[in-house]
Amino acid sequence: MLIGYARVSTLDQTLGLQQDALTAADCEQLYTDTASGASTDRPGLTQALSHLRAGDTLVVWRLDRLGRSLVHLIDTIRDLQERGIGFRSLQEQINTTTSGGKLIFHVFGALAEFERDLIRERTHAGLAAARARGRLFGRPKVLSPQQAKQLQSLAKDDRNTVGEICGTLGISRARYYRYVK
């Protein structure tokens, strides 16, 4: 069974073109959404995916109607394949039920993996360069090293109360006890 899915991003757009193409492609059921591709809440897509059974094929007008990104698209199609469900994109003429369509899908998968690796490498290189320039990551310390020494000396003097020390340094009691440890 061919099940179609169509999506438009805004209320100003219409589903007519996509629905006509999916009907012409012999889709027996159509599911639609009016939502941004970046939105994770797409009830039409959720319904379409839940109605698909092994041997069925999900049909979309274009690849960008299904996935938010290349990685999301590949993950979705991989999930379909694991369930024994085919995928077809009418505009790009990709059909994972054929050997040529599977090849194109695997090339897309390799490109997505390459893209993820490049992003990871660039991120690590950027972090290393920032560390080499002395950039510190994480939440900044509330007290400077001088203030921490001052807290230690004030805490040793029994004439100072915890409240006075906290007021002087502008810290909470919990922070005081963390630094005193």
Side-chain angles (χ1 to χ4, degrees):
M1 172 186 283
L2 298 178
I3 294 181
Y5 174 69
R7 179 186 62 79
V8 291
S9 300
T10 65
L11 294 172
D12 296 340
Q13 298 171 331
T14 62
L15 292 162
L17 174 69
Q18 293 178 55
Q19 289 173 322
D20 291 346
L22 293 170
T23 302
D26 297 326
C27 291
E28 296 176 35
Q29 293 179 348
L30 295 180
Y31 295 91
T32 63
D33 278 320
T34 301
S36 166
S39 172
T40 55
D41 182 35
R42 294 191 277 169
L45 179 59
T46 303
Q47 283 183 322
L49 294 175
S50 68
H51 283 84
L52 288 162
R53 303 289 176 250
D56 290 347
T57 300
L58 178 64
V59 183
V60 295
W61 181 62
R62 284 181 39 168
L63 285 173
D64 66 347
R65 301 296 87 197
L66 180 62
R68 300 187 300 269
S69 65
L70 184 58
V71 173
H72 177 256
L73 182 67
I74 289 182
D75 289 343
T76 303
I77 296 173
R78 188 173 293 128
D79 289 343
L80 292 173
Q81 284 184 330
E82 288 172 2
R83 293 172 48 196
I85 299 166
F87 172 76
R88 235 173 104 192
S89 172
L90 300 177
Q91 289 296 305
E92 289 84 5
Q93 298 181 2
I94 296 173
N95 185 349
T96 63
T97 61
T98 67
S99 57
K102 286 179 187 173
L103 172 67
I104 289 177
F105 171 71
H106 288 297
V107 169
F108 280 167
L111 289 172
E113 188 174 339
F114 178 69
E115 178 185 26
R116 282 192 300 266
D117 289 344
L118 283 178
I119 291 169
R120 187 178 310 116
E121 287 173 11
R122 278 188 244 133
T123 301
H124 288 297
L127 290 172
R131 281 189 195 99
R133 288 190 308 273
R135 172 79 166 89
L136 299 176
F137 294 97
R139 188 175 182 155
K141 300 288 185 196
V142 173
L143 296 178
S144 68
Q146 294 90 3
Q147 289 175 315
K149 286 179 186 174
Q150 183 183 11
L151 181 130
Q152 294 294 333
S153 65
L154 289 172
K156 288 178 184 172
D157 187 353
D158 293 335
R159 292 177 292 179
N160 297 320
T161 66
V162 173
E164 290 171 342
I165 296 171
C166 291
T168 301
L169 296 173
I171 60 171
S172 67
R173 287 178 173 268
R175 177 119 4 241
Y176 166 85
Y177 288 111
R178 273 190 229 120
Y179 272 92
V180 170
K181 283 184 181 179

